[in-house]
Amino acid sequence: MYNIKSYLSYLKSSKILFIYYCIFVIIIAIASVSKPFFNWDMLGYVAAAKHFEIADAQTLHQFVYENLKKFVSKDVYSALTNGGVRKDWAKNANDFYSLLPFYEIRPLYNLSILLMSKIGVNIFAATYLVSIFSVILGIFMLLFALKDKINWFLLYIFPFYLYLFGIVNIAKLSTPDAMAFLCVCIFIYLFSKERIKLLLAIIPIFVAVRTDLIIFNFISIAIITFLYKNCRIRSFVSLLLTIVLYELINKSAHNYGYFTIFSFTLIKTVNNPANINSAISISDYLRVLFHGFHEALADVKLMSFVSIMLIGLFPLKTLLTKDFLENKEIMVYVAISIFYIFIHFILFPVMWCRFFVGFYTMGVVGILLLLSKIVENYKFNTI
């Protein structure tokens, strides 16, 4: 018995828990660096990053494809430059250049890529190294935010949830999705520490990572306004800055707008998105919506998230009716994650996990806090 108690005490140690998470992030880093996903978006983000320095379409196109050929294997290069529109983009500088507005609306990610290239990192490698660093930083922010709030046993299980929801995948991708995960982690860290004023100052910057995070900003600011009445003016300023920054990013990138992105991504990919009719018929939208809903029902990550939320629904309702303000952190994380995923799906009906890793994580954090409360109350009642 003494040995078991000593072993459990050993596992509860903050140092051991920290080492455990270090091992977890090292595994993610090794897996990501050794076998990154060379998705086509890598080319778009390299072009967007380099566009800060190269304005000419032909020169930019030449830089991207010549350096791509040096960086990847022949098979990967062939996969990225052959077949359908990819072949045209590899040959036609103007059509390739027309894609930039889709990528330039993520300026913080693009600037991070450019900055890393300036310190000697290959610009293509920088696209996924930024993702790896974002994931690692986000995981440690979660650990430091939650280590004194979530039951120690649940903290050991938590990395398995992160793996289930695709944390390794976004670390391997050349997209801003890992930075979006980091944004969610920053929110959780600051909110858990009640650093509301600082949080409201930082929130507007999230749209510079991924513009669809404006949904996250709107939901978060609305909830903070409701919970912290003394921060209403700051909330309004944060909301205003979010809208202004969102508009500035879209206008400076000459973004095509929601309907063009929707059509290009979910209806038909064309050589030059400038040629797309910006209107979408109701029948087109409903067809995409029903197809997305059908795929969502078969999505393991989404169904796992829904199951976890449903399991926590009854005890959550009971706990919050007893003392809402004391347990507001649980409510906030669960509410934001559910609302964000629902609204994002209605606007863009696909359940690509890279969009939602941070929000799956946020919802699970809420449920783990809830379970920890239940365990704590049970221990108290049995004393």
Side-chain angles (χ1 to χ4, degrees):
M1 181 63 71
Y2 175 76
N3 289 335
I4 293 175
K5 287 183 177 179
S6 299
Y7 181 68
L8 290 177
S9 177
Y10 181 72
L11 288 176
K12 291 178 184 178
S13 166
S14 296
K15 290 181 179 179
I16 300 303
L17 190 62
F18 180 76
I19 292 170
Y20 177 74
Y21 273 78
C22 283
I23 294 170
F24 179 59
V25 299
I26 288 170
I27 291 171
I28 292 175
I30 292 172
S32 303
V33 171
S34 61
K35 201 171 183 180
F37 294 145
F38 292 122
N39 49 304
W40 195 92
D41 285 337
M42 176 175 63
L43 282 71
Y45 287 115
V46 165
K50 204 63 183 175
H51 195 219
F52 288 109
E53 299 178 334
I54 303 174
D56 179 66
Q58 191 67 46
T59 308
L60 184 63
H61 181 269
Q62 184 178 351
F63 172 87
V64 171
Y65 281 93
E66 283 186 357
N67 283 278
L68 175 68
K69 199 168 189 177
K70 297 173 185 176
F71 181 69
V72 299
S73 67
K74 288 183 180 180
D75 289 341
V76 172
Y77 183 82
S78 178
L80 293 173
T81 57
N82 286 307
V85 291
R86 290 186 176 190
K87 188 174 183 178
D88 174 72
W89 294 334
K91 292 182 176 180
N92 191 316
N94 289 328
D95 283 349
F96 177 77
Y97 195 80
S98 72
L99 301 172
L100 283 182
F102 291 147
Y103 298 95
E104 290 187 327
I105 55 174
R106 279 91 182 197
L108 202 54
Y109 177 66
N110 296 330
L111 285 169
S112 299
I113 294 169
L114 185 63
L115 179 62
M116 288 194 73
S117 73
K118 293 301 179 186
I119 60 174
V121 178
N122 182 285
I123 195 167
F124 285 94
T127 60
Y128 57 82
L129 288 176
V130 170
S131 297
I132 295 169
F133 292 144
S134 296
V135 163
I136 291 172
L137 182 56
I139 289 172
F140 279 118
M141 290 193 80
L142 289 175
L143 175 62
F144 295 136
L146 306 171
K147 63 184 177 69
D148 296 323
K149 296 188 175 188
I150 291 180
N151 178 271
W152 67 271
F153 178 74
L154 296 177
L155 283 173
Y156 278 100
I157 296 175
F158 185 49
F160 293 97
Y161 284 113
L162 292 175
Y163 179 79
L164 171 66
F165 292 133
I167 196 71
V168 178
N169 290 342
I170 61 170
K172 292 183 174 187
L173 280 170
S174 297
T175 65
D177 302 303
M179 286 190 81
F181 167 78
L182 176 58
C183 290
V184 175
C185 296
I186 290 171
F187 179 94
I188 292 172
Y189 180 84
L190 292 176
F191 191 85
S192 71
K193 303 295 183 184
E194 299 266 23
R195 301 290 301 279
I196 304 303
K197 292 178 181 178
L198 179 58
L199 179 58
L200 287 170
I202 290 175
I203 279 178
I205 302 171
F206 292 169
V207 295
V209 172
R210 221 175 60 191
T211 47
D212 62 299
L213 289 181
I214 193 171
I215 303 168
F216 176 39
N217 287 17
F218 281 175
I219 298 169
S220 302
I221 292 170
I223 289 175
I224 289 172
T225 303
F226 173 74
L227 292 175
Y228 298 91
K229 302 193 187 318
N230 60 321
C231 290
R232 283 183 173 177
I233 295 176
R234 291 178 185 273
S235 295
F236 175 76
V237 172
S238 184
L239 178 64
L240 185 63
L241 287 174
T242 292
I243 296 170
V244 169
L245 184 57
Y246 177 84
E247 288 296 324
L248 284 173
I249 289 169
N250 281 284
K251 289 192 180 301
S252 64
H254 305 289
N255 191 18
Y256 295 113
Y258 166 74
F259 293 110
T260 300
I261 294 173
F262 187 100
S263 180
F264 181 84
T265 308
L266 301 178
I267 298 176
K268 185 180 180 181
T269 302
V270 297
N271 296 349
N272 190 326
N275 298 329
I276 292 177
N277 184 349
S278 60
I280 298 175
S281 67
I282 294 176
S283 60
D284 282 338
Y285 172 77
L286 290 176
R287 186 173 68 253
V288 173
L289 179 65
F290 289 134
H291 177 73
F293 183 73
H294 181 264
E295 288 196 336
L297 293 175
D299 188 276
V300 175
K301 294 175 177 60
L302 175 64
M303 290 300 104
S304 299
F305 173 79
V306 171
S307 300
I308 293 167
M309 293 299 106
L310 290 175
I311 290 170
L313 192 61
F314 179 73
L316 177 64
K317 181 181 177 182
T318 305
L319 194 63
L320 293 182
T321 51
K322 289 181 179 178
D323 198 339
F324 174 79
L325 289 178
E326 186 180 332
N327 300 293
K328 64 178 180 291
E329 195 175 350
I330 299 171
M331 182 279 293
V332 168
Y333 299 154
V334 171
I336 290 176
S337 60
I338 291 173
F339 280 123
Y340 178 88
I341 292 168
F342 176 76
I343 295 170
H344 194 286
F345 180 77
I346 294 300
L347 293 173
F348 204 73
V350 288
M351 287 309 304
W352 298 338
C353 75
R354 62 187 181 87
F355 290 151
F356 306 110
V357 175
F359 298 95
Y360 290 152
T361 301
M362 179 180 270
V364 168
V365 165
I367 298 302
L368 293 181
L369 284 167
L370 172 63
L371 293 175
S372 299
K373 275 285 189 192
I374 293 170
V375 171
E376 183 183 324
N377 291 341
Y378 175 78
K379 286 181 178 178
F380 179 80
N381 292 331
T382 55
I383 294 176

